Amino acid sequence: MKPARLRADVLAGLTTSFALLPECIAFALVAHLNPLMGLYGAFIICTLTALFGGRPGMVSGAAGSMAVVIVALVVQHGVQYLLATVLLGGLIMVAFGLLRLGKLVRMVPHPVMLGFVNGLAIVIALAQLEHFKNGETWLSGAPLYWMAGLVALTMAIVYLLPRLTRSVPPALVAILGVGLGVYLLGLPTRTLGDMAHIAGGLPDFAWPDIPWNLETLQIVLPYAVIMAMVGLLETLLTLNLTDEITESRGYPDRECVALGAANIASGLFGGMGGCAMIGQTVINLSSGGRGRLSGAVAGVMVLLFVLFLSPLIERIPLAALVGV
């Protein structure tokens, strides 16, 4: 790999890792799970799909579409049944890829593709509005002004910096620059640590602690099928989008198998299920990430944040991440 390509992938992966954090934490909370489950899932799924999947440059992790599907299961039956669901959903994904059904996504009409992308853009934008709330009430007064001002500053950096230089990803400069400014000036704004504390250890291997019988299968199977189908659909459509952006072609069947294997690993190590994340994929691509290294760096950095860097990472202002 050429040094320039290596540098671009590493910087893009680092940028993407910052973007993964609030999303995975938020989705874990939506599913009534410990935020570390979202981060462990992001580390495992992002790293494995980057290394072995069929679409270099695409980023996968603990996605919101998967979180919404399993909320009822977690509330009614608990976390251990969720882990079993992730295992079974992963097996379904692997079977889907081995049967070479991934290529069916090529039949999706272009207008449907546009609708998918724009629909997700609206959902992602609306999700950012939640950061303008304190509990159930909207921010007002000085907290609102600081939040809005820092978001606007972040967006301005992302938009204007490429006109001056393309040697570094603008999103990375925006996150680190705004974060450093907030810390040095002591500005009163919410940080990532206000969402959740992310310090933790290495994920532990364990089989789900549930009765392995027909009754359990009847509970888990419907959720596993829905999770697998939602995850595969979002992944394959994101793969199509990545193909268009990079003007190259990925391998959907290989991506399905890798995604399924990654979900199985995530379930065995206490992580959420996941699939491709279009927002983080676009951030990675726009930051210059094109190879497998970019996704692998993003996944590994998430784990390093949890193990060693949580005191620093928790100081990142949410406004910078929202703006990106």
Side-chain angles (χ1 to χ4, degrees):
M1 181 182 294
K2 295 180 179 180
R5 180 73 269 147
L6 178 67
R7 177 177 176 277
D9 278 347
V10 170
L11 289 176
L14 179 59
T15 305
T16 305
S17 67
F18 285 116
L20 276 169
L21 286 174
E23 297 291 314
C24 294
I25 291 172
F27 296 149
L29 294 175
V30 165
H32 300 276
L33 299 172
N34 186 319
L36 284 176
M37 291 187 67
L39 297 176
Y40 288 149
F43 156 61
I44 294 170
I45 294 171
C46 183
T47 304
L48 292 182
T49 54
L51 292 176
F52 304 108
R55 178 63 268 181
M58 193 165 75
V59 176
S60 299
S65 56
M66 306 285 269
V68 172
V69 168
I70 48 85
V71 172
L73 174 67
V74 175
V75 171
Q76 294 174 12
H77 300 284
V79 172
Q80 296 300 315
Y81 279 81
L82 164 66
L83 297 178
T85 301
V86 175
L87 289 177
L88 184 55
L91 288 173
I92 295 172
M93 293 176 182
V94 170
F96 192 91
L98 293 177
L99 292 173
R100 307 184 71 82
L101 298 176
K103 59 188 176 184
L104 295 178
V105 74
R106 305 292 182 194
M107 301 172 62
V108 175
H110 190 68
V112 174
M113 184 69 186
L114 291 177
F116 165 75
V117 173
N118 287 295
L120 278 180
I122 294 171
V123 171
I124 292 171
L126 291 175
Q128 305 314 306
L129 296 179
E130 293 298 316
H131 298 300
F132 285 84
K133 289 183 177 180
N134 186 9
E136 295 298 321
T137 61
W138 291 94
L139 297 176
S140 61
L144 175 61
Y145 301 145
W146 281 117
M147 185 73 174
L150 291 171
V151 169
L153 175 61
T154 303
M155 294 174 68
I157 294 173
V158 171
Y159 179 72
L160 296 174
L161 185 62
R163 300 187 177 190
L164 301 176
T165 177
R166 294 185 177 273
S167 60
V168 290
L172 180 61
V173 174
I175 292 171
L176 296 181
V178 173
L180 183 62
V182 167
Y183 173 71
L184 293 177
L185 298 175
L187 301 181
T189 188
R190 299 178 66 210
T191 63
L192 185 64
D194 293 325
M195 286 185 67
H197 295 293
I198 64 172
L202 289 169
D204 296 320
F205 175 87
W207 287 100
D209 185 17
I210 58 172
W212 295 90
N213 53 34
L214 185 60
E215 182 180 353
T216 298
L217 181 62
Q218 291 174 339
I219 295 172
V220 167
L221 182 59
Y223 289 100
V225 171
I226 296 173
M227 177 184 286
M229 292 301 104
V230 169
L232 288 169
L233 180 61
E234 185 167 353
T235 295
L236 293 174
L237 289 175
T238 304
L239 185 145
N240 253 9
L241 175 66
T242 307
D243 285 354
E244 288 189 11
I245 293 175
T246 61
E247 297 181 347
S248 61
R249 173 158 291 199
Y251 301 92
D253 294 321
R254 178 175 173 178
E255 185 65 32
C256 294
V257 173
L259 180 65
N263 273 274
I264 292 171
S266 182
L268 291 174
F269 283 91
M272 282 178 62
C275 62
M277 303 178 74
I278 188 169
Q280 283 64 29
T281 296
V282 171
I283 289 174
N284 185 51
L285 296 175
S286 63
S287 299
R290 290 294 185 273
R292 297 185 182 279
L293 182 62
S294 60
V297 167
V300 172
M301 285 305 302
V302 169
L303 181 63
L304 294 180
F305 292 156
V306 171
L307 296 178
F308 307 114
L309 302 174
S310 58
L312 293 176
I313 299 303
E314 289 178 4
R315 294 181 180 177
I316 296 176
L318 281 177
L321 300 172
V322 171
V324 169

